[in-house]
Coordinates of all heavy atoms in Angstrom, one line a residue:
G239 N -59.9 168.4 88.2 CA -59.9 168.5 89.6 C -59.1 169.7 90.1 O -59.0 169.9 91.2
G240 N -58.5 170.4 89.2 CA -57.6 171.6 89.5 C -58.5 172.8 89.8 O -59.7 172.7 89.8
S241 N -57.8 173.9 90.0 CA -58.6 175.1 90.3 C -58.3 176.1 89.2 O -57.4 176.0 88.5 CB -58.3 175.7 91.7 OG -56.9 175.8 91.8
T242 N -59.2 177.1 89.1 CA -59.1 178.2 88.1 C -58.0 179.2 88.5 O -57.8 179.3 89.7 CB -60.4 178.9 87.8 OG1 -60.7 179.5 89.0 CG2 -61.5 177.8 87.5
D243 N -57.4 179.9 87.6 CA -56.5 180.9 87.9 C -56.7 182.1 87.0 O -56.1 182.3 86.0 CB -55.1 180.3 87.6 CG -54.0 181.4 87.9 OD1 -54.3 182.4 88.6 OD2 -52.8 181.2 87.5
P244 N -57.5 183.0 87.5 CA -57.8 184.2 86.8 C -56.7 185.3 86.8 O -56.9 186.4 86.2 CB -59.1 184.8 87.4 CG -59.6 183.7 88.4 CD -58.4 182.9 88.8
S245 N -55.6 184.9 87.4 CA -54.5 186.0 87.5 C -53.6 185.9 86.3 O -52.9 186.8 86.0 CB -53.6 185.7 88.8 OG -52.9 184.5 88.6
G246 N -53.7 184.9 85.6 CA -52.9 184.7 84.4 C -53.3 185.5 83.2 O -54.2 186.4 83.3
E247 N -52.6 185.3 82.1 CA -52.9 186.1 80.9 C -54.0 185.3 80.1 O -54.1 184.2 80.2 CB -51.6 186.1 79.9 CG -50.5 187.0 80.5 CD -49.4 187.3 79.5 OE1 -49.2 186.3 78.6 OE2 -48.8 188.3 79.6
V248 N -54.7 186.1 79.2 CA -55.6 185.5 78.3 C -54.9 185.6 76.9 O -54.7 186.6 76.4 CB -57.0 186.3 78.3 CG1 -57.8 185.9 77.1 CG2 -57.7 186.2 79.6
N249 N -54.5 184.4 76.5 CA -53.8 184.3 75.2 C -54.7 183.5 74.2 O -55.0 182.3 74.3 CB -52.5 183.5 75.3 CG -51.7 183.5 74.1 OD1 -52.3 183.4 73.0 ND2 -50.4 183.6 74.2
T250 N -55.3 184.3 73.2 CA -56.3 183.6 72.3 C -55.6 182.9 71.1 O -56.3 182.4 70.2 CB -57.3 184.7 71.7 OG1 -56.5 185.7 71.1 CG2 -58.1 185.3 72.9
N251 N -54.3 182.7 71.2 CA -53.6 181.8 70.3 C -53.9 180.4 70.7 O -53.9 179.5 69.8 CB -52.1 182.1 70.3 CG -51.7 183.4 69.6 OD1 -51.9 183.5 68.3 ND2 -51.3 184.4 70.4
V252 N -54.0 180.1 71.9 CA -54.2 178.8 72.4 C -55.6 178.3 72.1 O -56.5 178.9 72.3 CB -54.0 178.8 74.0 CG1 -54.2 177.4 74.6 CG2 -52.7 179.4 74.4
A253 N -55.6 177.0 71.6 CA -56.9 176.5 71.2 C -56.8 174.9 71.3 O -55.7 174.3 70.9 CB -57.3 176.9 69.8
F254 N -57.9 174.3 71.7 CA -58.0 172.9 71.5 C -59.1 172.6 70.5 O -60.2 173.2 70.6 CB -58.4 172.2 72.9 CG -58.8 170.8 72.8 CD1 -57.9 169.8 72.7 CD2 -60.2 170.5 72.8 CE1 -58.3 168.4 72.5 CE2 -60.6 169.1 72.6 CZ -59.6 168.1 72.5
C255 N -58.8 171.8 69.5 CA -59.7 171.5 68.5 C -60.0 170.0 68.4 O -59.1 169.2 68.4 CB -59.3 172.0 67.1 SG -59.1 173.8 67.0
S256 N -61.3 169.7 68.3 CA -61.8 168.3 68.1 C -62.0 168.1 66.7 O -62.5 169.0 66.0 CB -63.1 168.1 69.0 OG -63.7 166.9 68.6
V257 N -61.6 166.9 66.1 CA -61.9 166.6 64.7 C -63.0 165.6 64.7 O -62.9 164.5 65.3 CB -60.6 166.0 64.1 CG1 -60.9 165.7 62.6 CG2 -59.4 167.1 64.2
L258 N -64.0 165.9 64.0 CA -65.2 165.0 64.0 C -65.6 164.5 62.7 O -65.3 165.1 61.6 CB -66.4 165.9 64.6 CG -66.1 166.4 66.0 CD1 -66.4 167.9 66.1 CD2 -66.8 165.6 67.0
R259 N -66.3 163.3 62.8 CA -66.9 162.8 61.6 C -68.3 162.7 61.7 O -68.9 162.4 62.8 CB -66.4 161.3 61.4 CG -67.1 160.5 60.3 CD -66.7 159.0 60.3 NE -67.6 158.3 59.4 CZ -67.6 157.0 59.2 NH1 -66.8 156.3 60.0 NH2 -68.3 156.4 58.4
S260 N -69.1 163.1 60.7 CA -70.5 163.0 60.7 C -71.0 162.8 59.2 O -70.2 162.6 58.4 CB -71.1 164.2 61.3 OG -72.5 164.1 61.4
R261 N -72.3 162.9 59.0 CA -72.8 162.9 57.7 C -74.2 163.6 57.7 O -75.0 163.4 58.5 CB -73.0 161.5 57.1 CG -73.6 161.4 55.7 CD -73.3 160.0 55.1 NE -73.8 158.9 55.9 CZ -75.0 158.3 55.8 NH1 -75.9 158.8 54.9 NH2 -75.3 157.4 56.5
L262 N -74.3 164.5 56.7 CA -75.6 165.2 56.6 C -76.2 164.8 55.3 O -75.7 165.0 54.1 CB -75.4 166.8 56.6 CG -76.6 167.6 56.2 CD1 -77.8 167.3 57.1 CD2 -76.3 169.1 56.2
G263 N -77.3 164.0 55.3 CA -77.9 163.4 54.1 C -76.9 162.5 53.5 O -76.4 161.6 54.2
N264 N -76.5 162.7 52.3 CA -75.5 161.8 51.6 C -74.2 162.5 51.6 O -73.3 162.1 50.8 CB -76.0 161.4 50.2 CG -76.3 162.6 49.3 OD1 -76.3 163.8 49.8 ND2 -76.5 162.4 48.1
H265 N -74.0 163.5 52.5 CA -72.6 164.2 52.5 C -71.8 163.8 53.7 O -72.1 164.3 54.8 CB -72.8 165.7 52.5 CG -73.6 166.2 51.3 ND1 -73.1 166.3 50.0 CD2 -74.9 166.7 51.3 CE1 -74.1 166.7 49.2 NE2 -75.1 167.0 49.9
P266 N -70.8 162.9 53.5 CA -69.9 162.6 54.6 C -69.1 163.8 55.0 O -68.8 164.6 54.1 CB -69.0 161.5 54.1 CG -69.7 160.9 52.8 CD -70.6 162.1 52.3
L267 N -68.9 164.1 56.2 CA -68.3 165.3 56.7 C -67.1 165.0 57.6 O -67.2 164.1 58.4 CB -69.3 166.2 57.6 CG -70.6 166.6 56.9 CD1 -71.5 167.3 57.9 CD2 -70.3 167.6 55.7
L268 N -66.0 165.7 57.4 CA -64.9 165.7 58.4 C -64.6 167.2 58.7 O -64.3 168.0 57.8 CB -63.7 165.1 57.7 CG -62.5 164.9 58.6 CD1 -61.5 163.8 58.1 CD2 -61.6 166.1 59.0
F269 N -64.9 167.5 59.9 CA -64.8 169.0 60.3 C -64.1 169.1 61.7 O -64.1 168.1 62.5 CB -66.1 169.8 60.2 CG -67.1 169.2 61.1 CD1 -67.3 169.7 62.4 CD2 -68.0 168.2 60.7 CE1 -68.4 169.2 63.2 CE2 -69.0 167.7 61.5 CZ -69.2 168.2 62.8
S270 N -63.6 170.2 62.0 CA -62.9 170.4 63.3 C -63.5 171.7 63.9 O -63.8 172.7 63.2 CB -61.5 170.6 63.1 OG -60.8 170.9 64.3
G271 N -63.7 171.7 65.2 CA -64.2 172.8 65.9 C -63.4 173.1 67.2 O -62.9 172.1 67.8
E272 N -63.2 174.3 67.6 CA -62.6 174.6 68.9 C -63.5 174.2 70.0 O -64.7 174.6 70.0 CB -62.3 176.1 68.9 CG -61.2 176.5 69.9 CD -60.8 177.9 69.9 OE1 -60.6 178.5 68.8 OE2 -60.6 178.5 71.0
V273 N -63.0 173.5 71.0 CA -63.7 173.1 72.2 C -63.2 173.8 73.4 O -62.0 173.9 73.7 CB -63.7 171.5 72.3 CG1 -64.2 171.1 73.7 CG2 -64.3 170.9 71.2
D274 N -64.2 174.4 74.2 CA -63.7 175.2 75.4 C -63.2 174.3 76.5 O -62.1 174.6 77.1 CB -64.9 176.1 75.9 CG -65.2 177.2 74.9 OD1 -64.3 177.6 74.2 OD2 -66.4 177.5 74.9
C275 N -63.9 173.2 76.8 CA -63.5 172.4 77.9 C -64.2 171.0 78.0 O -65.2 170.8 77.3 CB -63.6 173.1 79.3 SG -65.3 173.7 79.6
I276 N -63.6 170.2 78.8 CA -64.2 168.8 79.0 C -64.7 168.8 80.4 O -64.1 169.3 81.3 CB -63.2 167.7 78.8 CG1 -63.8 166.3 79.0 CG2 -62.0 167.9 79.7 CD1 -62.8 165.2 78.5
D277 N -65.9 168.2 80.6 CA -66.4 168.1 82.0 C -66.0 166.8 82.6 O -66.5 165.7 82.2 CB -67.9 168.2 82.0 CG -68.6 168.2 83.4 OD1 -67.7 168.0 84.4 OD2 -69.7 168.3 83.5
P278 N -65.0 166.8 83.5 CA -64.6 165.5 84.1 C -65.7 164.8 84.8 O -65.6 163.6 85.1 CB -63.5 165.9 85.1 CG -63.2 167.3 84.9 CD -64.4 167.9 84.2
Q279 N -66.7 165.5 85.2 CA -67.9 164.9 86.0 C -69.0 164.5 85.1 O -70.1 164.1 85.6 CB -68.4 165.9 87.0 CG -67.3 166.7 87.7 CD -67.4 166.4 89.2 OE1 -67.3 165.3 89.6 NE2 -67.5 167.5 90.0
A280 N -68.9 164.7 83.8 CA -70.0 164.3 82.9 C -70.3 162.8 83.0 O -69.5 162.0 83.3 CB -69.6 164.7 81.4
P281 N -71.7 162.5 82.7 CA -72.1 161.2 82.9 C -71.3 160.2 82.0 O -71.1 159.1 82.4 CB -73.5 161.2 82.4 CG -73.9 162.6 82.4 CD -72.7 163.5 82.4
T282 N -70.8 160.6 80.8 CA -69.8 159.8 80.1 C -68.6 160.6 79.7 O -68.7 161.9 79.5 CB -70.5 159.3 78.8 OG1 -69.5 158.9 77.8 CG2 -71.4 160.4 78.1

Side-chain angles (χ1 to χ4, degrees):
S241 53
T242 63
D243 178 15
S245 73
E247 290 188 335
V248 169
N249 186 324
T250 58
N251 287 290
V252 181
F254 168 78
C255 293
S256 171
V257 181
L258 300 131
R259 171 189 174 187
S260 182
R261 178 160 55 91
L262 173 56
N264 56 351
H265 303 288
L267 303 172
L268 188 159
F269 58 95
S270 175
E272 197 176 319
V273 168
D274 290 329
C275 55
I276 180 172
D277 181 358
Q279 317 245 56
T282 160

